[in-house]
Amino acid sequence: MNTSSLTIGSTRSGQATALRAQARQLNERLARRAGLALLAWSRRQDERRTHDAVLLRRQAEQLATQARDDQFRWIALSGAPRA
């Protein structure tokens, strides 16, 4: 039996083991990051659904609609945009 073939075999086996360990660590890090991202997204969604947030968003939409309508009226009546 050739000793160099044993050495090459054990080196390849060691490299494969190291690569599997690195892949496992990478998968764990990715899973952790994905979990944290999902948690952050979920919290943002909850914040958007709070009563106060919904009221503020509706008020902002109403104010924006009113401002747009006022601007259109001004343009229609004067022919020039209001600054």
Side-chain angles (χ1 to χ4, degrees):
M1 179 172 263
N2 186 349
T3 56
S4 63
S5 64
L6 290 175
T7 306
I8 292 172
S10 64
T11 302
R12 286 184 183 160
S13 174
Q15 288 173 343
T17 301
L19 287 175
R20 280 194 298 273
Q22 289 175 352
R24 190 171 35 255
Q25 289 173 347
L26 177 62
N27 284 336
E28 289 172 1
R29 285 197 314 265
L30 289 173
R32 206 173 302 122
R33 284 186 181 183
L36 290 173
L38 285 172
L39 184 61
W41 176 83
S42 176
R43 287 181 179 159
R44 284 191 308 271
Q45 292 299 104
D46 287 344
E47 289 171 1
R48 289 180 185 151
R49 291 186 193 110
T50 64
H51 182 69
D52 292 339
V54 170
L55 284 177
L56 287 173
R57 191 167 36 256
R58 284 183 186 158
Q59 289 173 349
E61 288 172 0
Q62 289 172 349
L63 288 172
T65 300
Q66 189 177 19
R68 185 193 65 220
D69 292 347
D70 288 346
Q71 190 72 20
F72 283 142
R73 262 191 239 95
W74 178 260
I75 291 170
L77 295 175
S78 69
R82 185 171 61 173

